[in-house]
Amino acid sequence: MNNRYSRQQLFSPIGQIGQQAMKQKHVLIIGIGALGSASAEALVRAGVGKLTLIDRDYVEWSNLQRQQLYTEQDAQEKLPKVIAAKNRLQQINAEVAIHIAILDACTESLLPLLDDIDVMVDATDNFDVRFLMNDLAQQYRIPWVYGSCVSSYGATYTIVPGKTPCLRCLLKVMPQTGMTCDTVGIINPTVQIVAAYQVAEVLKLLVGDEKALRKSYLTFDVWQNQHYEINVDKIRQDDCPTCGHHPTYPSLAYENQTKLEVLCGRDAVQIRPPNPTHYNLEQLADQLRSYGDIHINPYLLSCQTEDYRIVIFQDGRVVIHGIQEIQQAKTIYYRLLG
């Protein structure tokens, strides 16, 4: 007899009924870096029925300190994170259906994935995507769990459309530190604590125990031994463009979505072409070989020059490492690929 979930079922708020309910549910995780790795592994071990993982990036050496699904071999091969994550997660629990997509989160890429999603998990590193998630969650009535971490500081908040203030309401009153992982770093315990809180909230949603959901915005500093919970029940705005009486969902508009951005903690700029572009990577490798050393796998092409590294994905996205100036990135992009 398979007793994989026996200890979890002994926990009375879940039990056998909750375990069966969880097996029928579908969770979407956006971003499979530090928070996404921890959340995905915990949910797969818990026995969620289906997991969809979205990420635009590949494994690098600097990820290994805190992104627990990945290995040195993944970094050497520059495997897309969702590929490496699925490989590992299937070894952990083959019963879970795992769907993956190598893509940049935008309205067009996310909409086809939302039909049967029960909960969304925020594991991103930028607020453009979070506001996009926030609008989609409200429009399609999907609960989601916000999470962020930097240095030794973390925060998390559970958003249930129609019942709680949304992220846009929240960030009107919450102070923003301005810290990023490329300026102050990140330690692994911060990641694990945020992910643990997020996963606990997801489990409550999956088994239908909404009364147990945390109603507060939670923050902590694990190094300074500080922990705060802020009551946010009364911050919901009637005129909020996302969750108010007359929503317009501003982040879903194409003109409000980032096309060029400096990537957090990466000393790199990503360029997303305005129109869908699909490269033949083998042909492109021949074209770029004179510029530097080429690494190619079925998912991406990397060209290391003397001054920078350019990485080209099959969906047309380009990441240029070694620079932080957007105009310089555009010049390189058009010179090599324009």
Side-chain angles (χ1 to χ4, degrees):
M1 181 177 177
N2 187 338
N3 65 349
R4 177 190 288 268
Y5 308 115
S6 60
R7 301 304 186 271
Q8 183 166 273
Q9 290 177 181
L10 287 172
F11 179 64
S12 58
I14 294 180
Q16 291 186 356
I17 294 175
Q19 191 67 51
Q20 287 302 312
M22 200 182 308
K23 191 175 181 180
Q24 308 304 316
K25 298 299 176 65
H26 186 179
V27 177
L28 170 65
I29 302 179
I30 301 180
I32 310 299
L35 289 177
S37 290
S39 295
E41 180 171 338
L43 291 170
V44 162
R45 290 186 184 277
V48 65
K50 187 187 299 185
L51 198 61
T52 292
L53 311 177
I54 294 174
D55 197 280
R56 65 187 179 184
D57 211 349
Y58 59 94
V59 182
E60 295 190 279
W61 289 93
S62 62
N63 302 150
L64 303 182
Q65 166 254 346
R66 66 198 178 281
Q67 299 184 19
Q68 66 190 52
L69 289 178
Y70 309 126
T71 67
E72 291 183 352
Q73 184 175 349
D74 297 329
Q76 288 169 348
E77 295 178 2
K78 293 184 173 60
L79 276 184
K81 290 182 180 179
V82 293
I83 300 293
K86 182 176 182 178
N87 291 342
R88 174 61 177 151
L89 293 170
Q90 286 184 321
Q91 293 175 338
I92 292 172
N93 190 347
E95 296 177 357
V96 178
I98 299 173
H99 302 274
I100 61 172
I102 307 169
L103 54 79
D104 201 21
C106 63
T107 305
E108 292 76 14
S109 64
L110 292 181
L111 277 175
L113 305 176
L114 298 181
D115 285 345
D116 64 342
I117 297 297
D118 295 291
V119 184
M120 293 194 294
V121 178
D122 163 34
T124 68
D125 59 5
N126 72 82
F127 277 97
D128 288 324
V129 176
R130 288 181 178 127
F131 279 121
L132 175 61
M133 291 179 67
N134 190 56
D135 279 6
L136 288 171
Q138 294 295 325
Q139 187 175 35
Y140 291 91
R141 291 294 191 252
I142 303 171
W144 69 289
V145 186
Y146 160 79
S148 66
C149 53
V150 64
S151 185
S152 56
Y153 168 86
T156 181
Y157 175 59
T158 304
I159 300 170
V160 181
K163 298 182 180 180
T164 68
C166 78
L167 184 68
R168 199 176 296 275
C169 294
L170 183 74
L171 294 184
K172 282 185 177 180
V173 298
M174 289 296 142
Q176 299 302 303
T177 66
M179 297 187 298
T180 65
C181 52
D182 58 334
T183 59
V184 295
I186 177 74
I187 58 173
N188 197 24
T190 309
V191 173
Q192 298 301 320
I193 294 170
V194 173
Y197 277 116
Q198 286 185 292
V199 170
E201 295 293 282
V202 171
L203 293 180
K204 296 172 192 178
L205 289 163
L206 295 181
V207 302
D209 192 3
E210 290 196 14
K211 291 183 179 179
L213 291 172
R214 189 184 61 254
K215 305 300 189 295
S216 60
Y217 177 84
L218 182 145
T219 70
F220 65 86
D221 187 323
V222 67
W223 201 265
Q224 300 298 328
N225 306 305
Q226 297 171 344
H227 182 282
Y228 305 99
E229 291 194 53
I230 304 170
N231 189 328
V232 296
D233 284 344
K234 297 181 180 180
I235 68 167
R236 189 173 180 181
Q237 306 292 314
D238 290 341
D239 61 349
C240 174
T242 296
C243 71
H245 295 321
H246 304 287
T248 57
Y249 309 117
S251 292
L252 302 188
Y254 179 78
E255 59 270 18
N256 293 332
Q257 297 178 33
T258 303
K259 285 79 176 179
L260 290 92
E261 61 179 313
V262 178
L263 300 183
C264 173
R266 298 288 300 280
D267 190 26
V269 173
Q270 173 178 272
I271 300 174
R272 190 171 72 227
N275 299 310
T277 302
H278 294 278
Y279 291 110
N280 181 316
L281 295 182
E282 294 289 349
Q283 289 182 2
L284 197 56
D286 293 336
Q287 175 183 327
L288 297 179
R289 209 171 298 278
S290 62
Y291 290 96
D293 295 332
I294 298 293
H295 172 89
I296 186 171
N297 63 37
Y299 316 102
L300 58 84
L301 180 151
S302 171
C303 177
Q304 179 68 59
T305 74
E306 290 184 5
D307 301 318
Y308 54 83
R309 182 169 86 257
I310 182 169
V311 179
I312 303 151
F313 295 83
Q314 281 191 328
D315 65 0
R317 287 180 301 111
V318 174
V319 177
I320 305 175
H321 297 263
I323 61 172
Q324 289 190 331
E325 295 293 331
I326 286 180
Q327 188 56 50
Q328 184 184 4
K330 290 173 68 176
T331 300
I332 294 169
Y333 175 81
Y334 286 114
R335 185 173 77 243
L336 299 185
L337 301 172

